Structure formats: structure tokens, C-alpha cells
Amino acid sequence: MNEKKERKLKIAKQVKTDKELAKKQRLMSKNLTVTERDELKKKAKAVKKVTQEEFKTLSKSVKKQRKKDAKLYRKIKNRPRNLMIWSVVALAVVGVGIKVGPTAAHMYSVMTGKNITINTETPAGEKARAAGNEVARKIANEGIVLMKNEDRSLPLDDKTVNVFGTASFDFRYGGGGSGGIDTSEAVNLFDGLKNAGIEYNKQLYQFYTELDEVKALQKQKNENGLTQVLKSMVSGTDKDEPNVSYLKDNVLKQAKDYSDNAVVLLTSSGVESSDMSEEQLRLTANKKALIKKVAENFENVTIVVNAGNALELGYLEEFPQIKSIVWVGIPGPFGTEALGDVLAGKVNPSGRLTDTYAYNSQSAPATENFGDYNYTNLKQSFVNYQEGIYIGYRFYETYYKGDEQGYQKAVQFPYGHGLSYTTFDWKVASQKMTDKKISVEVEVTNTGKVAGKDVVQLYYSAPYTKGGLEKAAVALGAYDKTKELQPGEKQTLKLSFATNDMASYDSQTEEAYVLDEGKYQLKLAKNVHDKGKKLTYEVAKRQVIKEDSATGTTIKNQFEASEAGLTYLSRDDWKGTYPSDKKINDEAPQFVLDDLAKTPTDSKLDMPAFGKDNGLKLSDLKNLAHDDPKWEQFLDQFTKDELINYVVKGAYQTEAIDRLGIPASMLLDGPAGLNSFFKKFKAASFPSENVLAATWSNALGYEMGEVVGKEAKVYGVHGWYAPAVNLHRTAMGGRNFEYFSEDPLLSGKMGAAVIKGAQEQDIIVFMKHFAMNDQEKNARSGLYVWGNEQSIRELHLRPFEIAVKEGKNLGTMSSFSMINGKWAGGNTELLNDVLRDEWGFKGMVSSDAVFGFMYADDAIVAGNDLMLDTMSAPKNIKRIEQAYKADPSGTALGLRTSVHNILYALLQTYLIK
């Protein structure tokens, strides 16, 4: 084929790709806010401008050829004028071998996934995936929660079932976006049942396959994260059941003749960029009609909850025929096999819930301030965390303390709940309680007839004084899980936590943690509401904890501005302080407006050197401490432009600087296994984080991290954007599947386990999203998040603190959120004062995907080192250059510090031998 024909074919292919992308983006545009749409238009203009500028630098021959290509492109298909940003990038750089400038080429490479050059189809890759898949199966097995099991209906005696509902053909293996997974090896529900030895009604199955709704489901493809996000913006993630009128009497008669057992799936997952609505958490009329129809015709009905968010399941109690409810969450590609094994009795379920299942999801106070709230004096949005510390079970257990009848009406399944096919007996073998540590040894005996695993949960209740510090009635202090115990077998578990972990943060008087005097009630329990076995610990004298236990750094208020003069929920006055969006201040605080208007001034610090030749390569710093003097000599060798480009062009990679011996690195998503937001490739896929947390097994968290780390090394990946340790603030959070739980301790411990397992394979783990990234609505246009210091420290920062101190992560990803009135990545109190100084973090901080309010010049002086910038690198380069003119020393030192942190982290990996 001659060169002319080859170019024509390439351009024709480009036209086809761009047409498909343009269609998706036009649909997506309809679902964006005005602010988000304006921001994307600005980005499009910026990209167009930089490509025009780079065009001027090209040689005459290249310019001539490029013009010819553009003319041919227009001839094949008239280019639409109003494409969104990704289309602008693709067309501006038309990937047909034309030479372009480095900035546009970098952006094009990232946006198309061309920078991901992984070859996973190797013997080593297959071996790594196989190991990962084996751990994924373990997590799915242990993460299943048996929520209900009346009359011992499970495991099934009669291994035949009727499977009803179109959802059975739309099993949710993973969520969408950066937390999505490769489903190319996923086992469908019916094969999962068959593999477990359960026979399903094939005639009923065939009946369903002939429905139009099922035919449409079977055409679904394994999509990349970007496509999933675009589709969710257009059509959402949930599909309803069709009208139940399709289930005619003859169909039901055949099914009843086949088996008395019936299974119905309730499916729901999440996708990055979208939250769940109140309606999505409730059963639709069609789903209710299906459940009713099945329950009226079968004596043993099992409901399978295949969802990433806590659904409202109260309707199920109306039917005594619904004997069992099994929660599988979003369990990865082999979750159907785990489900089959549980139904068949080959696996004894040992999972425990990581969320409170309320009859009404909107009964949680945090839901009052969740959603779309926009300022009138600023083109950005906000959300108030006025529930304070009362999130999840902390609210229900405190609000209904002493009102058991009220609690039972509000909560269907408590946090930590889960049943087993066997029974266990607990005996306190020993207890040791000092001013440093609480430690309890529990002897667990399997008293049933089949093997199984048990989870022991240790809760504490701190003494509360009216008018004193806010305290939840109960909080999780420690947990552990047994090995598989045979009938009659025993195992002793040791549960312990630091005594000071029971302290509460006092932002008003002490600016420190306070352990009040009095009696602390401890209980070993099956779940948070279980009465359990009671123990007591007494503090004789009030203690004020002013120094961090890990670093000795003095603790002080860092987030006073974040309180924003709001009223926060108090157990002293539930009615008077209960959150309400009917009385809400929709004007941004004046200090926010003042900060936005500020311009940089000269810091007048000592100016560092640029471009020196000290003869050092990066490998010369291997194994040196972060503060070794040799670092300064090495950093003196960078030019200003090298520093700027290195921190700005950090999307899924760090760039090579050959003259300094700095190789390129590859950084990839995501929390349920390695993936790329822009490109699908084959990799081991795991259950979502809430399923991993439901195992209540730190050992499995470590195993998952370990196999991901090993797989990353095989593929040449050096950094992993995971795990996500934000909380389930409400049941509506669009990324709840991607986060562990509603509790900071469980989330932090699981996160630390995953981090430790992966980093021991010499890769960088980026815990994320630091911090308070619990809502997707407006998050990408700059969402101001307001909360009081106590709740920020005790809940929202706590899982990150545990992950840092126990997991020793080398990476952190800052969030989109605006905290203290500042973007998290430009927030020195969050990143320097708390993360680095108070907790002792040593490593690099990367931004999340850069949007228009996230500025590199703010980042480099506030502790955010690397910009995950796919679309606005030219703008951020220009901003740093402008900042340098106004404040040369401050900007230069900020750049050096950022590059220092990035390279220090990279030196701890296998990248540099």
C-alpha cells in the first residue's frame, strides 16, 4: 500500500472514531451543569490554542502535510464545531504520524490511552492474573453476607432453583469509572449456579432469553472507565424490571412443577461522577410486583442483593415466603461462583455488613445536606456536613439509645450483621487494660455441625456528659476473624487497640484529643447493636492528648475555617440541631471570595540553583534518606522548565529526564484491580472494596494488595491509584462500591492492609481521595465541603491516618473537594500540617484528575506534588510561569520540593535498581 492510501485510511478511521466520540459527548453535555459545561468549553479553547501555537513552530513541509491531512479529514466528514474536550484533543493532534509539539502530544497520548503500552498476554502475565483471580475468589467467598435465613432454608436441600427477573442476566461484577474492572472472564449467574452443583430451570431460562429486555442486556460490552462514565451521565446505571405481566400462568406452573425454590436478584451498582437518588435506593413498582408474584407462588424464596449501595429492603418483610436474603455486593468476576457455593452449602458465609441497612435511607441526618446546592455569589457548589460525627451507626445507635422500639422501626439490619450455617461460642480468655492499651483475648468455639469462620467485634462506649464533647453511644474499637474452624474446634483471637483511641477531639477548648474520666463500657458483639459480652474500663483522671503518638508533633486546630459558622448536630438537642436544607446559607463566605482575589507576592526566600552540573544521576540517591544533603546537589541540576513539566505532566505517569537518569514511570487505577480510565486491558479483577471490607479480614486485604503489586511489576507498572478510604457518608454516594464502609476504623485497617501488601512488592500505593470526597454531584466543578473539626478528624481523616501510620503508603491522591475554603490539593493545612508533619507521611501527593479549579501553582506550594492533568497542562504550565514571575523563590522552592517528593517515592520502587 502506498503512503497516500495509508494516510487516507488512517484519517478515515480517525473520522469514524471521532463521530462515535462526538455522539457520546453531545449526550453527555445535556447532563452537565452550566458550570461544568462552561469549564469544558474553556478547556477546549485552551487545547486548541496550544496546538495552534505549536503549529507555528513546525517546519514548512510538516505544515503543508498537516494542512493536506486537515483538508482530507474535512472532505471525509465535516468536523462538528462544538465537540467536547476529548474530541478537540484527538482532532487537534490527528494521530496520523504528524509531528506535533510535546504538550499536545502528551495530552493526546494520555487521552487516547496510547501511553499504556502494557502487554498482558505473556506467560508471566497469565501467572500473575491467575494468582490475582484466586485471591478474588477468596474475597468473594468470605465477603458474602447471609442477612436472613429463616427455617434454615439455606443451604438448599433440594439443589434445584427457578431464577426470576431480567436482572439475573445483568449481574453486577464491578462498578464503573476508575473503580471498574475487566469482566472478560466473568462467570454468568447461571454458570455460577451450575458449577456449584445447583440445577436451574432451563425452560424458564430459555423463556427469559427470548424477552427483548434480556436480548438488549446480552449485547452489553466490556467498556473502559470513560465510556462507563459517559453512559451513566446519559442513562444512569440502573435498569428496571419489565412489567410483571410477562409472567403468565403457564410459565409459573412450569416453574412450580420444577422446584419450590425461587431466586430473585436485586441489582444496583455505581459509576464515578454520578450519585444514587433516593428513588434508586428503593424498590421500583416493577421490582415489587416481581417479588410479590414470585413470593405468592413459591414457598422458599431467596433474595440476592447484588448492589454497591445499601438498598431499602423493608418490603421484603411483607412476605413470609422470603426465607433468605443473601448480600453479595459487587463481588468481581467470580462472585456468581461464590454465590452458587453459598446456596449449595459448599461455602459457609462469613461476611458482615459494612453499612447500616435502614428501612428509610433518608432517615440518616447526612442525607439532609446531600445533593445539589449552589452559591449565588460564586459559580461553584457546596455541601454542609452538619451531621457532625453522627454518620451511619453512630447516629442510629445514639439517637435511639434507650428506645429499642424506635430503633427496630428504623434499622432493619445493623452494622456488622451477618449470619452463618453454624454456631459459635465465645469465652473471654483474658483481658488486660492499661493506660496505654486495651487488650482482650477471646476463645471462639465452633459449636455447630459444619465448618465455618466467625468475626469478633469489640466496641466501646465512652462516658458522655450533657453539654460536653459530642460522643457516639458506641464505636468500633477492634475486630478479628477466625480461621475456618471445624465442628468442636477452638481458636483464641486477640483484639486490642490503644486506650487513647477512645478519646474525642476538643476543638473549642483544648485543641487536642481528650479522654474524659469515667467508666468506658466495652462489649464483644456479633454486630454493633448486639448486647454481647460486657467489660468495663475506668479512666481515673481526665487526660488531654496534645501530641501525635507517631511523630510527637503538637496537635492543633487546622480546620477552624471549615466550620463556617454552621450549627452541627448534637445529642443534647436532636430537634434543635438536626440538619435541614430549608435554612441554608447559599452565599459563599467572604473569606473565600477574598482568597480567590488574592495575587501572589514575592516570598523573598533564598533562591535555589538551576541547571548545575554536579555529575549526579537519580540512581546515586538510591537508599538515601529523604533529608540527605545529596538531594540538594541533585535538585540543583534541574532547569526551571524541567521542574515545571515534571510536576504538571503527571497523568498516569511521570516523564523521563534522560540526562539526569530519571526513567519514566507508569501509574494506573484502580481499587478493584489494575485498569486504565481510557483503555481496557486484561488484568486480574477483584470484588469492590465494600465486599473486601465485608470479609472483615485484614489478611485478605493484605493478600489482595500483594497480588496486585506482583501483577503491577510483571506489567511494568510502578504506581497504583488505590485504595480509596473515604467513608459511606450516606447510602447515596455514587462511589460507595469503591469505598470500604461507613466506619473509619474498618476502612482504615482494610486500607492499611492493602497498602502494606502492595508496597512490599516495591510499587507506590496512592491512598485516595484525601479527603471528604463522599459525593459525586458537583465534585468536578469545585465542591466546597464544610464540616467541624471534630468530625473531620474523628471520621473523615481517621481512615487516612490509620492507612498512613500502619500501611506506610508512599503515595496519596488529594481529592476534588474544597476544604477550609481551599481545594484539597492546594491546602497546606491538610497536606503539610496534618498529612506530613502530624502523621509523618513521606512520599508524593498526586492530584485527582485535573479540572478547571485545580491549579498547579497552588499545589506546589501546598504539598501536592504531581498533577494528574489530562486536559489542561498548557494552562497550568502558564500559571506556574506567571507565579514564578511574581514569586520566583517561593515557586522555585515549591517545584523543587514537589520533584524531591516524587523522586523519593520512585526510588523506593523497583524502577531504580
Side-chain angles (χ1 to χ4, degrees):
M1 184 184 298
N2 61 41
E3 184 179 348
K4 187 175 180 180
K5 285 185 178 180
E6 188 174 351
R7 294 182 78 84
K8 186 174 181 179
L9 285 173
K10 285 184 178 180
I11 293 173
K13 186 177 180 181
Q14 184 72 43
V15 169
K16 184 179 179 181
T17 300
D18 293 338
K19 278 182 66 179
E20 294 172 354
L21 187 58
K23 183 178 179 181
K24 291 176 183 176
Q25 290 162 345
R26 283 195 296 273
L27 289 170
M28 184 187 82
S29 180
K30 296 177 183 178
N31 292 271
L32 298 179
T33 64
V34 174
T35 302
E36 291 169 332
R37 197 177 294 121
D38 289 344
E39 190 57 49
L40 285 172
K41 287 179 180 178
K42 289 178 184 177
K43 290 178 184 293
K45 288 180 181 178
V47 175
K48 185 176 181 180
K49 184 176 180 181
V50 74
T51 54
Q52 288 172 341
E53 291 297 319
E54 290 181 342
F55 181 79
K56 296 175 183 178
T57 67
L58 302 176
S59 66
K60 288 184 179 180
S61 60
V62 173
K63 284 181 180 178
K64 185 177 180 181
Q65 184 60 58
R66 189 164 178 178
K67 287 178 180 178
K68 285 182 179 180
D69 290 333
K71 185 177 180 180
L72 181 58
Y73 183 98
R74 288 192 297 271
K75 185 177 179 180
I76 295 173
K77 172 69 176 70
N78 289 328
R79 175 183 172 185
R81 292 189 177 188
N82 294 320
L83 292 182
M84 302 288 277
I85 179 64
W86 295 293
S87 198
V88 172
V89 174
L91 297 179
V93 190
V94 192
V96 290
I98 303 171
K99 294 180 181 178
V100 297
T103 305
H106 157 77
M107 294 165 68
Y108 175 72
S109 176
V110 171
M111 297 298 294
T112 58
K114 289 186 179 296
N115 63 320
I116 308 297
T117 57
I118 295 172
N119 177 17
T120 64
E121 301 297 334
T122 65
E126 290 178 8
K127 183 178 179 181
R129 282 195 302 278
N133 289 342
E134 185 58 32
V135 174
R137 286 183 168 91
K138 286 184 186 179
I139 295 169
N141 284 345
E142 291 198 34
I144 287 182
V145 180
L146 184 60
M147 300 173 80
K148 177 181 179 180
N149 193 23
E150 303 240 337
D151 302 328
R152 296 180 179 267
S153 61
L154 293 181
L156 296 170
D157 291 327
D158 174 11
K159 302 295 191 293
T160 60
V161 297
N162 296 290
V163 181
F164 286 95
T166 59
S168 59
F169 294 85
D170 190 28
F171 193 88
R172 307 302 173 88
Y173 303 98
S178 60
I181 62 170
D182 172 24
T183 58
S184 60
E185 294 186 18
V187 179
N188 71 49
L189 174 63
F190 299 93
D191 285 343
L193 295 174
K194 184 175 71 174
N195 294 344
I198 294 176
E199 294 295 326
Y200 61 89
N201 185 341
K202 293 181 175 59
Q203 189 169 327
L204 181 61
Y205 170 87
Q206 187 61 38
F207 166 77
Y208 269 105
T209 61
E210 294 170 2
L211 295 179
D212 290 340
E213 292 85 354
V214 172
K215 289 178 181 178
L217 289 170
Q218 291 176 328
K219 293 179 181 179
Q220 293 179 155
K221 297 178 180 179
N222 184 22
E223 298 162 330
N224 64 33
L226 175 59
T227 303
Q228 291 168 339
V229 168
L230 292 172
K231 285 182 67 175
S232 75
M233 287 181 169
V234 175
S235 59
T237 60
D238 291 333
K239 300 176 182 68
D240 198 4
E241 288 288 336
N243 188 295
V244 77
S245 59
Y246 71 86
L247 276 180
K248 306 298 184 184
D249 289 344
N250 63 319
V251 176
L252 290 168
K253 182 181 184 306
Q254 187 277 327
K256 285 192 283 187
D257 290 342
Y258 181 80
S259 174
D260 286 332
N261 301 323
V263 173
V264 178
L265 261 69
L266 299 178
T267 61
S268 173
S269 57
V271 175
E272 178 180 346
S273 79
S274 302
D275 290 309
M276 293 289 175
S277 67
E278 183 178 341
E279 291 71 27
Q280 285 175 296
L281 299 177
R282 293 175 177 161
L283 301 182
T284 65
N286 284 352
K287 289 179 181 178
K288 285 183 175 181
L290 173 65
I291 291 167
K292 185 173 186 291
K293 177 75 76 172
V294 172
E296 288 174 344
N297 284 278
F298 296 88
E299 289 302 314
N300 185 25
V301 180
T302 298
I303 301 294
V304 176
V305 183
N306 174 209
N309 296 68
L311 305 180
E312 295 179 10
L313 302 176
Y315 180 74
L316 305 182
E317 294 183 352
E318 296 184 18
F319 304 98
Q321 300 92 337
I322 297 177
K323 300 292 180 62
S324 56
I325 304 174
V326 180
W327 182 91
V328 297
I330 309 294
F334 313 110
T336 57
E337 293 185 323
L339 172 61
D341 285 343
V342 164
L343 297 181
K346 292 182 177 181
V347 166
N348 188 346
S350 61
R352 303 291 184 266
L353 293 179
T354 66
D355 291 292
T356 301
Y357 272 69
Y359 286 104
N360 178 4
S361 64
Q362 303 307 295
S363 63
T367 62
E368 297 292 331
N369 293 155
F370 183 96
D372 189 11
Y373 302 97
N374 302 297
Y375 283 128
T376 56
N377 58 342
L378 184 65
K379 281 190 174 182
Q380 281 176 278
S381 305
F382 67 97
V383 60
N384 298 333
Y385 284 23
Q386 288 183 269
E387 70 279 359
I389 65 168
Y390 299 107
I391 290 175
Y393 71 79
R394 282 171 165 77
F395 168 70
Y396 293 103
E397 297 297 325
T398 311
Y399 186 81
Y400 291 103
K401 184 176 173 61
D403 180 10
E404 183 62 20
Q405 187 176 6
Y407 182 90
Q408 293 299 332
K409 288 180 179 179
V411 176
Q412 186 175 16
F413 299 107
Y415 175 85
H417 168 75
L419 305 175
S420 172
Y421 293 155
T422 189
T423 55
F424 297 94
D425 180 65
W426 297 354
K427 177 183 176 183
V428 177
S430 71
Q431 54 180 296
K432 186 176 182 182
M433 303 183 191
T434 70
D435 60 352
K436 300 293 183 185
K437 193 174 184 179
I438 304 292
S439 183
V440 181
E441 290 190 346
V442 183
E443 183 183 86
V444 181
T445 304
N446 183 345
T447 55
K449 297 180 179 180
V450 296
K453 298 183 177 184
D454 198 16
V455 175
V456 180
Q457 303 164 39
L458 177 58
Y459 293 91
Y460 66 87
S461 298
Y464 171 72
T465 304
K466 189 173 177 64
L469 293 174
E470 292 298 328
K471 296 176 186 177
V474 64
L476 182 65
Y479 61 90
D480 202 0
K481 189 170 192 174
T482 68
K483 65 180 182 179
E484 184 167 79
L485 299 177
Q486 297 300 319
E489 189 177 4
K490 301 178 181 181
Q491 183 183 359
T492 298
L493 301 180
K494 184 176 181 180
L495 289 82
S496 62
F497 60 90
T499 305
N500 284 349
D501 285 351
M502 296 189 292
S504 300
Y505 191 79
D506 179 2
S507 64
Q508 302 302 313
T509 306
E510 302 288 358
E511 292 196 35
Y513 287 92
V514 174
L515 192 69
D516 281 324
E517 65 181 72
K519 291 184 178 181
Y520 288 72
Q521 298 297 322
L522 307 176
K523 70 172 181 178
L524 294 160
K526 300 286 186 182
N527 59 65
V528 71
H529 196 65
D530 179 33
K531 291 182 179 179
K533 295 180 181 293
K534 301 288 178 59
L535 305 168
T536 302
Y537 172 76
E538 188 164 1
V539 174
K541 183 179 179 183
R542 180 175 182 265
Q543 298 175 31
V544 179
I545 304 149
K546 288 186 172 290
E547 293 184 350
D548 185 90
S549 60
T551 63
T553 301
T554 299
I555 298 168
K556 63 180 181 179
N557 288 353
Q558 300 289 355
F559 306 103
E560 288 179 329
S562 188
E563 302 206 3
L566 300 171
T567 297
Y568 292 91
L569 187 58
S570 171
R571 64 189 289 187
D572 274 358
D573 181 11
W574 292 116
K575 185 177 180 181
T577 61
Y578 202 85
S580 172
D581 60 4
K582 292 182 174 64
K583 297 177 181 179
I584 202 163
N585 184 3
D586 57 2
E587 286 193 355
Q590 186 59 44
F591 81 86
V592 168
L593 304 179
D594 293 341
D595 284 348
L596 291 172
K598 281 183 180 178
T599 56
T601 56
D602 194 342
S603 301
K604 297 182 179 179
L605 302 170
D606 292 337
M607 193 69 183
F610 289 122
K612 294 182 73 172
D613 184 6
N614 292 328
L616 292 173
K617 301 290 186 183
L618 182 59
S619 58
D620 296 326
L621 283 78
K622 185 75 172 177
N623 299 321
L624 295 185
H626 188 274
D627 59 355
D628 191 285
K630 206 169 191 177
W631 274 105
E632 297 305 315
Q633 299 174 43
F634 179 72
L635 293 167
D636 285 344
Q637 299 178 128
F638 281 83
T639 66
K640 176 170 68 72
D641 288 343
E642 284 172 335
L643 291 171
I644 293 173
N645 280 283
Y646 198 72
V647 300
V648 169
K649 298 178 183 179
Y652 308 100
Q653 64 178 11
T654 59
E655 294 198 324
I657 304 178
D658 294 335
R659 72 178 191 86
L660 297 177
I662 301 174
S665 72
M666 187 183 299
L667 315 173
L668 290 182
D669 283 318
L674 296 170
N675 73 43
S676 164
F677 194 68
F678 299 102
K679 183 178 183 178
K680 292 299 297 184
F681 62 86
K682 203 171 184 64
S685 299
F686 297 85
S688 298
E689 283 191 4
N690 59 344
V691 176
L692 174 58
T695 70
W696 289 65
S697 170
N698 295 341
L700 274 178
Y702 178 90
E703 279 192 61
M704 176 181 164
E706 182 180 38
V707 291
V708 171
K710 288 179 177 179
E711 187 177 16
K713 287 177 77 171
V714 168
Y715 298 158
V717 176
H718 309 98
W720 182 33
Y721 296 145
V725 297
N726 303 86
L727 296 182
H728 298 174
R729 178 177 171 247
T730 72
M732 296 186 289
R735 297 175 91 163
N736 280 8
F737 73 95
E738 193 177 325
Y739 302 158
F740 290 111
S741 79
E742 68 181 35
D743 179 77
L745 181 79
L746 179 61
S747 298
K749 292 283 187 180
M750 278 291 171
V754 172
I755 289 167
K756 191 173 182 182
Q759 281 198 173
E760 287 186 1
Q761 301 306 309
D762 302 322
I763 68 166
I764 298 169
V765 177
F766 292 83
M767 69 169 188
K768 62 181 189 180
H769 311 85
F770 191 55
M772 301 175 81
N773 196 147
D774 314 302
Q775 172 181 302
E776 292 299 282
K777 184 67 177 177
N778 298 321
R780 287 152 190 78
S781 55
L783 181 66
Y784 284 86
V785 179
W786 305 104
N788 64 17
E789 183 117 13
Q790 182 183 9
S791 64
I792 290 174
R793 283 183 173 273
E794 290 184 20
L795 271 71
H796 300 290
L797 298 191
R798 182 62 176 152
F800 293 96
E801 180 181 5
I802 295 169
V804 169
K805 292 178 177 179
E806 297 184 12
K808 308 293 183 185
N809 56 304
L810 288 166
T812 296
M813 179 183 285
S814 59
S815 71
F816 295 126
S817 300
M818 314 284 278
I819 304 168
N820 257 17
K822 294 177 284 189
W823 164 51
N827 194 317
T828 192
E829 296 89 2
L830 183 70
L831 301 182
N832 287 328
D833 296 339
V834 173
L835 178 65
R836 297 183 194 278
D837 295 344
E838 193 175 310
W839 298 348
F841 171 76
K842 285 184 172 60
M844 71 161 116
V845 176
S846 168
S847 73
D848 204 334
V850 173
F851 286 84
F853 61 94
M854 303 159 71
Y855 302 136
D857 52 313
D858 292 336
I860 58 172
V861 296
N864 193 107
D865 308 305
L866 192 64
M867 302 298 287
L868 203 164
D869 200 339
T870 58
M871 299 180 288
S872 56
K875 181 183 74 175
N876 268 316
I877 289 172
K878 186 176 181 179
R879 284 189 64 98
I880 293 180
E881 290 172 341
Q882 290 172 338
Y884 183 82
K885 289 178 183 177
D887 181 16
S889 60
T891 304
L893 288 169
L895 286 165
R896 278 171 66 101
T897 300
S898 291
V899 172
H900 183 179
N901 290 333
I902 297 166
L903 295 177
Y904 174 81
L906 289 173
L907 277 170
Q908 313 311 309
T909 72
Y910 71 94
L911 178 65
I912 308 295
K913 303 298 184 184

